Amino acid sequence: MTNSEPLLDVRDLSVTFTRKGGPSVRAVDGVSFTVRPGETVGLVGESGSGKSVTSLAVMGLLPRRGVQVGGQVAFDDDDLLTLPRDRMRDIRGRDIAMVFQDPMSSLNPVVPIGIQVTEVLERHQDLKGDTARAAAEDLLSRVGIPDPARRLKEYPHQLSGGMRQRALIAMALACRPRLLIADEPTTALDVTIQAQIIELLKELVQDTGASLVMITHDLGVVAGLCDTVHVMYSGRIVESAGRRELFAQPRHPYTGGLLASVPRLDAPRGAPLHPIPGSPTDVLRWSRGCAFAPRCPNRIEPCTDGPPPLESIGGRSLRCLNPLTETEEVATR
Amino acid sequence: MLKFVARRLLLLVPILFGLSVLLFVWLRALPGGPAQALLGERATADSVARIEALYGLNEPWYVQYWKFVSSAIQLDFGNSARTNRPVTEEMARTFPATFELAIAALIFAVGIGIPLGYYAAKKYGTWLDNVSVSGSLLGVAVPVFFLAYILKYVFSVQLGWFPTQGRQDPRIDADHPTGLYVLDGLITGNLEASWDAIMHLVLPAIALGAIPLAIIVRITRASVLDVVHEDYVRTAEAKGLWERTITRRHVLRNALLPVVTVIGLQAGLLFSGAILTETVFAFDGVGRFIAEAISNRDYAVLQGFILVIAAMYVVVNLLVDVSYGLIDPRVRVR
Ligand SMILES: Nc1ncnc2c1ncn2[C@@H]1O[C@H](COP(=O)(O)OP(=O)(O)OP(=O)(O)O)[C@@H](O)[C@H]1O
Ligand SMILES: [Mg+2]
């Protein structure tokens, strides 16, 4: 981690889905974080915590209707949220790229892989014809796809899931973006492939110097990859810390629960896992208190009086009135 | 690929056989017969018997069927009882006419239907969307016969913008090497004849194309609405591609797959739709000829024409399936 100016500065981002004839849903609620050049940031949380919506808001890819977005997303000197759509199109794919969760459905089934790679180069780098094809071949071999010349002519259904995700990574990195957002890029893949893809991302990011926002619900992925981690719950960041500090000493009971539920290689065989009790749908509205309170082992009376503030303590941010202490954290293991 | 085509063409044999038997039995079950129709009210038992003997209609139906099949295999369908000319000759005259009309109707339906369906989906929930959805409901609900009459009355009779009937103004002296009048005019350098043929096609094509248009609008709209929410469209957006590229390469190429199937089905049905349209516009094509053959119990014409139309239907569907394989790599036939 360097101390330079942040590349991406998300300030107080909130996203509300307004449905006709239904209650509106605040999927992201006052989220702030920064990403420095070359930094790898983890965005962690259970399903529905607003990770994808956050990344889509940064990319300007939220649906245009039925969505209210507030806050700022500063990138370079621009606020991405108010940028004209054509300017945003110039930035997407060139400066900020994204890899999505499901490689099976993220490639166009009726267009050859080659065209899906070269179209980014044509769009942003003015490469054409043979030059573009050569560059695409080069990209495919860099992401570890053997026989790239043949693969370029093939269609997505002729590639395995892992190969498709590699192809998608190649497309994302084609224009050497300064920021790559990966939204659970391994969730849809076999366990053995998962590690390979993470390793590949790590290498590529190191080689190109790009920053990476890694979205995952798997703290195991974060452990081997991220410099900084933000833990999200029900649309808000509940704890932000450096990776070392977070793993050494989780302070938010939710973070503690996530850590305790990760299978540990050094644990004795048959040692019980500790999933967080309750389900992510069992939440309190933030306006009425801590959303995690209904599932929280550390809940105290004031937790349900109002929203706990995000406070900085010892180099980290924490949104909790009764955080874990060192002894408690050990006890959950 | 070739194997696939051959297999499908082989299927034609049982289809045509079954259809021909059905046709044969059905025609002979109709009240009255060709002799009756020819002679009209003055028919006597005697004169009817004479005519029936002349056309071999007094023989048992299986004998007649056998005679029909053995000559049909040599593409001889006998003579029309009404015009007394070979059925094949009548086909050579009327099929190009209806083919031309069907093409015009398809150009109308596809040319308007796909853009309209696309924009309706793009403007989902707006007035344009509502108008095209309710308009396409109307298009399916209005009987072709009625629509044809309205079009003719308003645009030909009242406004005089288009000719009321036929395929070509009789005052125009034109050669017809192919029987496709628009093409003929172009080939022979007679542009006036071409233009005149086009003007004659406009209203019948709209009447005939209305139902396919309505269906194409609806299918295109629904399909585009599905596809724009696909992950690969989001991927394309994430690449910052121009909207143009995303629409053409990522949305339409996928959204049009089901539309192609529908177009194929509709293309096959145009020949039966043509019966009403051609009658209203006195358009000298297959439809009108069949309609007249039915009221005249013209067995030979009905048998020959309907079988050929059925064969064409199968071939059109085969073409659709083959083209589907060309545009969708996942179903590429082996
Ligand atoms: N298009 C939408 N319309 C309405 N609500 C939405 C929409 N997209 C997301 N949401 C809501 O926003 C909330 C956050 O969703 P999001 O997809 O960001 O979760 P996530 O953290 O990415 O979860 P996962 O791990 O399952 O991907 C969810 O409660 C979801 O119901
Ligand atoms: Mg998600």
Side-chain angles (χ1 to χ4, degrees):
Chain A
M1 211 200 322
T2 55
N3 276 332
S4 50
E5 283 286 294
L7 176 68
L8 180 78
D9 189 352
V10 178
R11 282 270 144 255
D12 206 21
L13 177 72
S14 58
V15 180
T16 310
F17 292 98
T18 51
R19 251 170 287 177
K20 258 188 219 159
S24 53
V25 179
R26 174 154 290 206
V28 175
D29 195 354
V31 163
S32 303
F33 64 94
T34 60
V35 182
R36 288 171 203 289
E39 188 186 19
T40 295
V41 170
L43 222 51
V44 191
E46 281 171 306
S47 192
S49 53
K51 310 181 296 288
S52 296
V53 173
T54 302
S55 61
L56 292 177
V58 170
M59 290 290 285
L61 289 179
L62 287 170
R64 251 172 274 154
R65 268 185 284 177
V67 187
Q68 284 170 358
V69 186
Q72 288 108 42
V73 177
F75 183 81
D76 288 339
D77 293 325
D78 297 313
D79 178 7
L80 299 186
L81 296 184
T82 55
L83 215 55
R85 287 210 280 133
D86 278 354
R87 290 276 315 279
M88 197 62 213
R89 269 185 205 287
D90 288 339
I91 291 178
R92 276 204 300 263
R94 189 189 64 194
D95 299 308
I96 309 181
M98 188 155 176
V99 177
F100 295 96
Q101 177 171 343
D102 189 353
M104 306 315 268
S105 59
S106 293
L107 287 166
N108 187 338
V110 301
V111 172
I113 302 287
I115 290 179
Q116 299 190 56
V117 179
T118 51
E119 64 181 359
V120 207
L121 299 165
E122 280 167 14
R123 165 70 176 87
H124 294 295
Q125 304 200 322
D126 256 337
L127 296 186
K128 288 196 175 59
D130 287 341
T131 338
R133 208 165 317 123
E137 237 175 82
D138 193 44
L139 279 165
L140 287 202
S141 48
R142 266 179 57 204
V143 297
I145 295 181
D147 201 356
R150 180 169 63 92
R151 292 300 187 186
L152 284 178
K153 294 195 198 91
E154 291 188 338
Y155 289 88
H157 69 99
Q158 290 166 291
L159 272 63
S160 69
M163 283 297 161
R164 288 190 213 189
Q165 196 60 298
R166 284 173 193 269
L168 281 156
I169 291 171
M171 292 168 202
L173 292 176
C175 302
R176 295 189 149 251
R178 283 177 288 158
L179 175 64
L180 176 67
I181 303 178
D183 186 357
E184 308 201 31
T186 59
T187 310
L189 301 174
D190 284 351
V191 188
T192 45
I193 313 286
Q194 286 185 6
Q196 292 175 15
I197 295 287
I198 295 292
E199 205 47 43
L200 174 70
L201 278 172
K202 194 173 171 177
E203 269 176 40
L204 290 171
V205 164
Q206 266 165 12
D207 290 354
T208 62
S211 307
L212 173 66
V213 173
M214 184 72 188
I215 294 174
T216 176
H217 51 239
D218 182 355
L219 276 176
V221 168
V222 171
L225 195 63
C226 300
D227 305 312
T228 312
V229 187
H230 304 280
V231 181
M232 285 187 75
Y233 192 78
S234 191
R236 291 198 183 193
I237 291 182
V238 294
E239 182 166 12
S240 302
R243 184 219 333 173
R244 283 175 178 288
E245 297 84 66
L246 190 90
F247 279 87
Q249 165 77 78
R251 298 297 306 274
H252 198 286
Y254 177 60
T255 316
L258 282 180
L259 269 178
S261 65
V262 175
R264 296 176 63 94
L265 286 178
D266 55 353
R269 246 171 187 282
L273 291 176
H274 299 278
I276 306 175
S279 94
T281 54
D282 187 14
V283 293
L284 202 62
R285 280 169 155 272
W286 278 110
S287 55
R288 296 183 34 214
C290 174
F292 187 59
R295 300 166 70 190
C296 184
N298 274 28
R299 183 181 55 233
I300 52 176
E301 201 56 32
C303 288
T304 50
D305 285 349
L310 192 64
E311 285 175 309
S312 314
I313 9 166
R316 73 173 82 193
S317 310
L318 183 63
R319 193 189 290 281
C320 185
L321 299 177
N322 187 20
L324 301 174
T325 61
E326 205 155 341
T327 41
E328 272 175 309
E329 195 274 325
V330 170
T332 57
R333 289 247 170 117
Chain B
M1 179 69 165
L2 273 179
K3 236 172 152 183
F4 170 78
V5 173
R7 201 157 12 115
R8 287 284 293 273
L9 286 178
L10 217 62
L11 255 182
L12 263 176
V13 175
I15 289 175
L16 291 182
F17 174 75
L19 185 66
S20 62
V21 173
L22 275 178
L23 256 175
F24 223 78
V25 175
W26 170 69
L27 283 176
R28 276 148 190 81
L30 284 179
Q36 198 86 48
L38 269 178
L39 296 168
E41 305 203 320
R42 289 162 303 138
T44 62
D46 233 24
S47 53
V48 167
R50 248 202 337 271
I51 297 276
E52 291 198 330
L54 183 66
Y55 287 101
L57 295 170
N58 50 355
E59 290 173 277
W61 75 269
Y62 48 85
V63 176
Q64 294 182 40
Y65 181 72
W66 174 245
K67 280 187 179 165
F68 167 71
V69 169
S70 43
S71 46
I73 287 175
Q74 301 159 44
L75 290 182
D76 170 13
F77 297 101
N79 280 8
S80 160
R82 189 167 60 91
T83 65
N84 214 8
R85 300 201 310 155
V87 170
T88 41
E89 222 168 83
E90 301 288 9
M91 285 179 179
R93 183 173 56 84
T94 55
F95 268 90
T98 301
F99 186 68
E100 190 173 43
L101 174 59
I103 298 275
L106 267 188
I107 290 175
F108 165 71
V110 172
I112 296 185
I114 289 179
L116 196 59
Y118 173 75
Y119 283 109
K122 244 347 207 202
K123 307 272 173 214
Y124 176 74
T126 65
W127 66 269
L128 178 81
D129 184 27
N130 294 331
V131 166
S132 57
V133 168
S134 38
S136 63
L137 257 181
L138 202 69
V140 179
V142 172
V144 173
F145 206 56
F146 182 69
L147 178 64
Y149 261 119
I150 296 285
L151 286 172
K152 180 172 161 177
Y153 182 75
V154 173
F155 296 102
S156 299
V157 180
Q158 291 297 320
L159 296 172
W161 292 355
F162 299 99
T164 51
Q165 58 171 1
R167 298 182 64 198
Q168 188 102 75
D169 193 314
R171 282 164 299 187
I172 290 178
D173 179 27
D175 287 336
H176 298 298
T178 65
L180 304 167
Y181 283 13
V182 177
L183 187 66
D184 288 341
L186 294 177
I187 293 176
T188 58
N190 190 345
L191 295 185
E192 192 199 356
S194 256
W195 179 247
D196 179 65
I198 291 175
M199 293 306 273
H200 277 87
L201 276 172
V202 172
L203 293 183
I206 293 176
L208 185 56
I211 291 180
L213 167 69
I215 295 174
I216 289 171
V217 169
R218 293 170 72 85
I219 301 285
T220 306
R221 175 181 174 275
S223 179
V224 168
L225 280 180
D226 270 354
V227 169
V228 291
H229 291 118
E230 292 285 348
D231 287 349
Y232 52 79
V233 175
R234 194 182 53 188
T235 306
E237 289 281 2
K239 291 173 178 174
L241 303 181
W242 293 118
E243 195 148 0
R244 213 175 39 239
T245 317
I246 296 176
T247 300
R248 287 207 205 126
R249 186 176 292 160
H250 297 286
V251 176
L252 282 183
R253 258 205 224 177
N254 284 283
L256 290 186
L257 293 178
V259 181
V260 169
T261 310
V262 168
I263 292 175
L265 288 172
Q266 291 301 318
L269 291 175
L270 284 177
F271 268 75
S272 44
I275 291 185
L276 299 173
T277 315
E278 290 182 357
T279 305
V280 173
F281 289 98
F283 194 93
D284 196 8
V286 171
R288 197 166 75 117
F289 201 71
I290 288 182
E292 279 163 5
I294 290 175
S295 47
N296 286 301
R297 304 285 184 273
D298 199 340
Y299 291 170
V301 168
L302 290 174
Q303 283 159 188
F305 271 60
I306 293 179
L307 282 182
V308 171
I309 290 174
M312 282 173 42
Y313 191 76
V314 172
V315 172
V316 166
N317 271 303
L318 175 62
L319 286 178
V320 169
D321 285 353
V322 170
S323 63
Y324 203 89
L326 292 180
I327 53 180
D328 188 347
R330 288 165 298 180
V331 297
R332 209 151 271 180
V333 277
R334 284 153 292 271

